[in-house]
Amino acid sequence: MFKRLRNWLENRRIKKMAFTAEQWESAIADWPVMQRYQGAERDALREMCFRFLVRKTFVSGSGFQFNDAMCLKLATMACVPVLHLGLHWYDRWQTVILYEDAFVPNRPYRTDDGVTHSRGPGLSGEAWYRGPVILSWQDICESGADTRHGRASNVVIHELAHKLDMLRDGANGAPPMHPDMRPGEWHDIFTAAWDRLQNDWRHHRPLPLDDYALTSPAEFFAVCSEAFFEAPETMKEAMPEVYRLLCQFYRQQPVPLAIPAM
């Protein structure tokens, strides 16, 4: 009963927003990842995007003037990871704060040399446990894959991966497992990949991921999620077991399965 009422109210708000399929297509036209989603998946993603917009509150950071097209693009990026999981995976938080560029958190920051500063460096994104998601529009615009250097950037997917991770025992690189997944396998494979990349980094060998992934297990999962959606071919080749587990978790196959020759 509650679910039907919620859908009815959301449908009324979506109708009132009056976004069209053409507006949505225009907003996401410059994001190459969307080429992967066609037909029924594309329709479902558009519908989920509209529902995301009515469920979440968008707030300006430092007076940044964002518009509908920006919100549509951001919401679509946020919905891609949960397309086959469901928007309810984001139910524990409400607010998106959008800055024009990097933002500086107003809290003490301790550098590697042990010195505590009154404020930290500028950030492109941040996700608070049961709190808001904070994002830089400039960094959203720089989303994409650079397969030459093993870099895949998408601050929206990165921060939303943290939100998914936080659903199970906080941000620790181990989001809730589906019934057909084995937590022990996830731990073993991600730990082995982490150890291998740490060793490569220490020996100055090229990495298939941004080295920020090596700062903590939570960041490793978030950066792997960026690569999974933005540069899946590179990830599948360099980290096939991690890629396989992310396919199971996100319920998606960003690299099409090869069709055997007849």
Side-chain angles (χ1 to χ4, degrees):
M1 179 66 181
F2 174 77
K3 184 176 181 180
R4 289 199 301 270
L5 177 60
R6 181 183 190 180
N7 285 339
W8 180 77
L9 291 172
E10 285 183 355
N11 289 339
R12 288 190 63 184
R13 293 184 63 191
I14 290 171
K15 186 176 181 179
K16 187 175 181 180
M17 286 191 310
F19 288 135
T20 65
E22 290 74 21
Q23 282 178 288
W24 180 74
E25 289 287 352
S26 176
I28 52 90
D30 63 346
W31 189 32
V33 169
M34 285 305 301
Q35 298 173 12
R36 191 182 307 140
Y37 300 94
Q38 301 296 331
E41 274 196 325
R42 197 176 187 91
D43 293 341
L45 192 51
R46 182 180 65 250
E47 170 69 15
M48 183 177 280
C49 167
F50 293 167
R51 291 196 181 277
F52 181 93
L53 290 174
V54 301
R55 292 188 187 185
K56 305 304 179 188
T57 301
F58 281 63
V59 177
S60 169
S62 297
F64 177 49
Q65 298 297 308
F66 53 82
N67 57 35
D68 288 346
M70 295 176 183
C71 293
L72 286 166
K73 182 174 183 177
L74 189 162
T76 303
M77 288 181 170
C79 289
V80 159
V82 295
L83 176 59
H84 294 292
L85 302 180
L87 203 51
H88 63 279
W89 282 63
Y90 292 157
D91 278 353
R92 291 189 182 180
W93 60 278
Q94 175 66 32
T95 305
V96 177
I97 302 175
L98 187 59
Y99 284 83
E100 181 175 8
D101 209 333
F103 56 92
V104 180
N106 186 22
R107 60 173 181 267
Y109 173 78
R110 186 174 183 177
T111 51
D112 292 339
D113 57 7
V115 177
T116 299
H117 305 268
S118 60
R119 302 179 75 183
L123 301 178
S124 61
E126 192 171 52
W128 294 6
Y129 182 69
R130 297 201 178 183
V133 171
I134 311 173
L135 299 164
S136 154
W137 176 250
Q138 181 60 43
D139 285 276
I140 292 173
C141 292
E142 294 174 1
S143 298
D146 180 1
T147 55
R148 295 171 302 169
H149 301 98
R151 299 292 184 266
S153 171
N154 190 303
V155 67
V156 179
I157 290 176
H158 183 105
E159 299 306 331
L160 271 296
H162 282 317
K163 281 295 190 181
L164 298 176
D165 189 7
M166 291 172 184
L167 293 175
R168 177 176 177 266
D169 301 328
N172 58 10
M177 301 287 105
H178 303 303
D180 61 342
M181 299 180 69
R182 302 193 303 274
E185 181 185 38
W186 180 281
H187 174 270
D188 292 347
I189 287 175
F190 270 78
T191 298
W194 163 279
D195 290 342
R196 184 174 65 254
L197 294 186
Q198 287 279 4
N199 185 60
D200 288 342
W201 180 80
R202 285 193 296 269
H203 289 86
H204 307 288
R205 290 192 284 263
L207 301 179
L209 300 173
D210 191 303
D211 58 14
Y212 185 64
L214 302 179
T215 57
S216 73
E219 297 301 344
F220 190 66
F221 171 66
V223 173
C224 283
S225 295
E226 290 181 82
F228 179 75
F229 289 104
E230 288 283 0
E233 293 85 0
T234 299
M235 164 161 272
K236 184 177 182 180
E237 180 179 352
M239 307 170 67
E241 287 298 287
V242 170
Y243 173 84
R244 177 179 63 82
L245 289 183
L246 290 176
C247 286
Q248 291 181 20
F249 174 69
Y250 286 113
R251 300 299 199 219
Q252 299 190 43
Q253 288 273 358
V255 178
L257 296 175
I259 300 176
M262 300 299 291

